[in-house]
């Protein structure tokens, strides 16, 4: 969290008369902790409403890591359910990549959270579905010519297993804890690597629950997409929610550009406090524009697994074979 700046000072809350306040630079509001937490909950609720992220008949599965984002998300969806926003039971899906000194502890926390709130959960391990833990994949691949960094394998495998697990839990909507900072960072990454076709394919704000016929993969929704990362951090601490605070060790080991992009973004934020909102908006606008001009190739079905894929064999199957040979 050290890169993120939270401005706490004395002053008067914009909504009540309390005096220790959070200075929210991008709206120029001063909010006391209670009003701030309430505001975060309202924002999540309005994001779900405004973008029609799910309907009462949807069956939601939350991708739960035990970190601050997914804990904040699951907690808020439980509140919504209690307020009878919809009746289907929320379930949680935990992916165990097999990352030493990290995932075991975060999974323990995720399990404890689920047990406390009586949430049904399922754990899927890389070891069982891929044939190897992420640790063993990296040990085997690190010195090979085609080594692609832990995150490359991990992201592709995890995305697929989240989808499989959602269906196995009977879900049709997968809720993930991506926050505004994550989305702004991804947009910048896509620009840097000129991934225009990927930008064109994106539905940044999710597919409306009324327009989701014939989706192969579970519909992925991001109810935290309008909340900057440091505000989630602050929120879970104000609410005293237990979460696993450490970062994955691989994010530091590999010289991944994503980290530099995040640092750049945070520097920009010091000068332009609403820069992440600009990027979210820009992502959406560019995506819509590119959809009109960019020819998106017809999707095939992967010859191995049958999932939609731009190529004959999908990336998941390519990597899976690669790490097992
Ligand atoms: S930082 Fe990389 S290796 Fe670690 S969990 Fe995230 S994607 Fe996987
Ligand atoms: Zn207040
Ligand atoms: Zn495949």
């Amino acid at each position: 969290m050290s890169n993120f700046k939270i401005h706490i000072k004395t002053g008067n809350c914009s909504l009540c008369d309390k005096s220790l306040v959070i200075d929210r630079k991008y709206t120029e509001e001063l909010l006391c902790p209670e009003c701030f937490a309430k505001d975060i909950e309202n924002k999540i609720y309005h994001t779900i409403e405004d973008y029609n992220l799910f309907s009462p008949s949807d069956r939601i599965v939350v991708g739960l890591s035990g970190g601050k984002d997914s804990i904040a998300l699951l907690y808020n969806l439980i509140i919504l359910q209690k307020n009878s926003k919809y009746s289907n039971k929320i379930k949680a899906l935990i992916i165990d990549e097999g990352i030493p000194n990290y995932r075991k502890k975060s999974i323990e926390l995720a399990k404890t959270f689920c047990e406390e709130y009586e949430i049904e959960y399922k754990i899927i391990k890389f070891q069982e579905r891929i044939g190897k833990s992420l640790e063993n994949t990296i040990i085997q691949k690190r010195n090979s010519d085609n080594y692609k960094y832990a995150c490359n394998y991990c992201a592709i495998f995890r995305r697929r297993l989240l989808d499989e697990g959602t269906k196995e839990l009977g879900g049709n909507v997968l809720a993930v804890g991506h926050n505004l900072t994550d989305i702004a960072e991804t947009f910048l990454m896509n620009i840097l690597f000129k991934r225009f076709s990927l930008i064109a394919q994106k539905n940044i704000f999710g597919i409306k629950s009324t327009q989701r016929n014939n989706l192969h993969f579970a519909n992925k929704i991001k109810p935290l997409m309008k909340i900057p990362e440091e505000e989630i951090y602050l929120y879970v601490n104000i609410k005293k929610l237990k979460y696993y605070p450490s970062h994955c060790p691989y994010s530091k080991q590999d010289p991944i550009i994503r980290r530099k992009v995040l640092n750049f973004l945070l520097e920009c934020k010091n000068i332009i406090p609403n820069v992440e909102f600009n990027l979210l908006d820009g992502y959406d606008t560019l995506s819509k524009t590119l959809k009109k001009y960019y020819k998106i190739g017809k999707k095939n079905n992967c010859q191995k697994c049958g999932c939609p894929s731009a190529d004959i064999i999908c990336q998941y199957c390519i990597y899976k074979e690669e790490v097992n040979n």
Side-chain angles (χ1 to χ4, degrees):
M1 263 312 295
S2 55
N3 284 336
F4 292 102
K5 283 203 179 121
I6 295 165
H7 306 268
I8 310 258
K9 61 181 196 183
T10 48
N12 285 330
C13 173
S14 307
L15 303 173
C16 73
D17 59 0
K18 296 215 176 85
S19 58
L20 182 65
V21 290
I22 296 138
D23 185 2
R24 184 185 259 167
K25 298 279 182 199
Y26 63 87
T27 55
E28 298 181 351
E29 280 171 299
L30 299 177
L31 294 169
C32 71
E34 290 77 14
C35 291
F36 173 84
K38 196 78 220 136
D39 181 77
I40 294 291
E41 287 164 5
N42 284 338
K43 269 190 170 176
I44 296 171
Y45 176 76
H46 284 299
T47 301
I48 292 167
E49 284 285 297
D50 293 350
Y51 298 99
N52 198 354
L53 293 187
F54 54 80
S55 67
S57 60
D58 280 326
R59 299 168 312 279
I60 298 175
V61 172
V62 175
L64 186 68
S65 68
K68 63 183 185 328
D69 302 301
S70 58
I71 290 283
L73 173 62
L74 182 52
Y75 176 76
N76 271 277
L77 291 181
I78 296 167
I79 299 177
L80 266 180
Q81 186 172 47
K82 280 212 176 107
N83 296 339
S84 61
K85 167 75 186 156
Y86 70 95
S87 53
N88 288 317
K89 280 234 170 240
I90 296 162
K91 297 178 185 174
L93 177 60
I94 301 167
I95 304 292
D96 182 357
E97 303 91 343
I99 303 173
N101 300 322
Y102 170 66
R103 192 49 90 210
K104 206 167 163 217
K105 294 177 204 158
S106 76
I107 288 177
E108 277 315 308
L109 227 136
K111 278 163 62 179
T112 308
F113 187 91
C114 289
E115 279 150 18
E116 188 180 340
Y117 288 91
E118 297 179 351
I119 306 277
E120 181 185 336
Y121 66 88
K122 179 184 181 91
I123 301 178
I124 292 186
K125 293 175 186 278
F126 272 27
Q127 178 74 51
E128 284 159 14
R129 300 284 172 115
I130 309 296
K132 252 191 195 103
S133 67
L134 190 60
E135 181 190 23
N136 287 338
T137 297
I138 301 314
I139 290 170
Q140 179 206 331
K141 286 273 154 199
R142 197 177 281 285
N143 297 320
S144 69
D145 292 340
N146 62 354
Y147 176 60
K148 302 185 185 63
Y149 302 150
C151 294
N152 292 55
Y153 296 110
C154 181
I156 294 285
F157 291 150
R158 196 180 41 203
R159 195 175 307 148
R160 177 64 64 88
L161 297 185
L162 278 168
D163 184 70
E164 283 182 12
T166 300
K167 290 174 188 154
E168 288 164 21
L169 280 166
N172 67 329
V173 170
L174 168 66
V176 292
H178 295 176
N179 58 53
L180 176 65
T181 312
D182 295 328
I183 297 171
E185 183 190 301
T186 299
F187 180 47
L188 285 177
M189 288 286 292
N190 286 342
I191 296 285
L192 287 181
F193 287 94
K194 209 181 153 200
R195 294 175 186 143
F196 291 143
S197 66
L198 206 61
I199 294 173
Q201 284 170 49
K202 281 278 172 198
N203 287 294
I204 314 304
F205 298 125
I207 302 167
K208 286 189 176 18
S209 59
T210 45
Q211 300 169 349
R212 283 198 237 124
N213 295 326
N214 305 321
L215 284 183
H216 179 91
F217 297 113
N219 184 39
K220 192 151 85 174
I221 60 167
K222 300 172 182 172
L224 308 184
M225 66 184 167
K226 298 243 169 150
I227 307 177
E229 176 147 18
E230 72 280 8
E231 295 205 347
I232 311 255
Y233 170 78
L234 199 51
Y235 172 77
V236 288
N237 281 290
I238 290 170
K239 299 296 285 187
K240 297 192 172 30
L241 297 174
K242 288 202 186 97
Y243 65 95
Y244 188 63
S246 287
H247 289 290
C248 169
Y250 290 124
S251 69
K252 295 202 182 81
Q253 281 172 28
D254 289 328
I256 48 175
I257 191 88
R258 194 171 260 278
R259 204 166 55 243
K260 291 187 193 305
V261 169
L262 176 62
N263 289 338
F264 167 71
L265 184 60
L266 297 179
E267 271 181 41
C268 292
K269 205 162 141 171
N270 286 335
I271 307 161
I272 315 163
N274 65 343
V275 70
E276 293 153 306
F277 291 91
N278 291 346
L279 286 164
L280 179 70
D281 199 32
Y283 201 168
D284 186 47
T285 307
L286 188 59
S287 164
K288 284 180 183 143
T289 310
L290 287 175
K291 267 188 184 64
K292 289 182 202 149
Y293 296 104
Y294 204 84
K295 276 222 174 315
I296 298 170
K298 193 180 166 299
K299 290 250 176 198
N300 305 304
N301 281 14
C302 169
Q303 283 184 1
K304 289 207 161 182
C305 68
C307 289
S309 163
D311 299 307
I312 297 166
I313 309 287
C314 75
Q315 202 58 50
Y316 172 81
C317 289
I318 291 173
Y319 279 177
K320 191 170 170 185
E321 191 167 319
E322 192 179 307
V323 304
N324 285 298
N325 283 316

